[in-house]
């Protein structure tokens, strides 16, 4: 739809296939382009200015499941946190690189220097500013009729983080 001018823009976690298709009028790029060609620099500058990096995923649990199993939300949070910790340990293991990219370690160091060692923070406390900004933007853009609080959107058991 982008390549055929049926829509003007797309916000997507995946790069559309038309991004890679050759444009006969421009041999250097396909018919679909990024809004910000130097997006990494733009995103890094925005993070430096605001401390916000867009959240990639939010886990949703059906209300009937939560009512039947009140511990489910906290258990899911803990499971995803443990999986993230495992991934971070693997990424930092330089004896066997998980991806074959020439500057992978440099990228990891640069990201950590800018965003800290937990560059994908989990939990409400660590993401409060980002979540509140998203709520505000949704309201300002008419996507929601009012601005709900974080307490309305998230299960109480996921607000507190603790280790045993």
């Amino acid at each position: 739809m982008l390549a055929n001018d049926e829509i003007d823009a797309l916000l997507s976690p995946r790069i559309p296939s038309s991004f890679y298709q050759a444009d006969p009028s421009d041999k250097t790029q396909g018919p679909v382009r990024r809004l910000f060609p130097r997006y990494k620099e733009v995103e890094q500058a925005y993070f430096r200015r605001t401390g916000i990096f867009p959240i990639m995923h939010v886990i949703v649990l059906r209300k009937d499941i939560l009512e039947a199993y009140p511990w489910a939300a906290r258990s899911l949070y803990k499971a995803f946190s443990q999986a993230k910790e495992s991934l971070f340990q693997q990424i930092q293991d330089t004896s066997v690189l998980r991806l074959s990219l020439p500057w992978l370690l440099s990228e990891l160091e640069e990201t950590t220097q800018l965003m800290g060692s937990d560059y994908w923070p989990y939990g409400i406390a660590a993401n409060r500013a980002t979540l509140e900004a998203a709520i505000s933007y949704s309201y300002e853009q008419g996507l929601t009729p009012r601005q709900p609080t974080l307490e309305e959107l998230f299960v109480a058991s996921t607000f507190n983080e603790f280790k045993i």
Side-chain angles (χ1 to χ4, degrees):
M1 293 175 77
L2 282 168
N4 295 329
D5 293 327
E6 295 174 40
I7 58 174
D8 296 324
L10 173 70
L11 177 64
S12 171
R14 291 180 181 84
I15 296 173
S17 59
S18 56
F19 184 81
Y20 298 108
Q21 295 170 350
D23 181 350
S25 65
D26 181 356
K27 299 294 183 195
T28 63
Q29 191 167 339
V32 174
R33 292 171 174 77
R34 286 190 168 93
L35 179 60
F36 302 103
R38 299 171 70 109
Y39 66 94
K40 180 181 172 185
E41 293 171 18
V42 171
E43 290 174 357
Q44 288 175 332
Y46 183 76
F47 182 83
R48 281 186 192 95
R49 195 170 63 254
T50 66
I52 293 175
F53 187 79
I55 293 172
M56 294 295 168
H57 304 286
V58 175
I59 299 170
V60 177
L61 193 60
R62 287 192 343 233
K63 194 172 189 174
D64 62 315
I65 299 293
L66 187 59
E67 289 170 352
Y69 309 101
W71 43 264
R74 187 74 194 157
S75 293
L76 275 172
Y77 176 83
K78 285 167 56 174
F80 276 92
S81 294
Q82 289 172 352
K84 182 181 88 166
E85 263 318 299
S86 175
L87 172 66
F88 276 27
Q89 288 174 4
Q90 290 177 36
I91 288 173
Q92 293 172 6
D93 180 1
T94 59
S95 64
V96 180
L97 294 180
R98 304 299 188 246
L99 297 172
S100 184
L101 294 172
W103 298 284
L104 179 63
L105 295 178
S106 174
E107 184 69 29
L108 178 61
E109 291 166 1
E110 182 182 337
T111 299
T112 302
Q113 184 177 18
L114 174 64
M115 303 175 84
S117 61
D118 189 8
Y119 42 86
W120 291 124
Y122 284 9
I124 286 101
N127 289 289
R128 182 171 287 279
T130 302
L131 291 166
E132 288 176 344
I135 290 169
S136 179
Y137 298 157
S138 293
Y139 176 71
E140 289 169 7
Q141 295 172 20
L143 301 173
T144 56
R146 64 180 186 82
Q147 293 186 61
T149 65
L150 292 177
E151 289 74 18
E152 291 176 85
L153 298 176
F154 293 94
V155 178
S157 65
T158 62
F159 273 82
N160 299 318
E161 296 183 38
F162 57 88
K163 293 187 182 199
I164 297 175

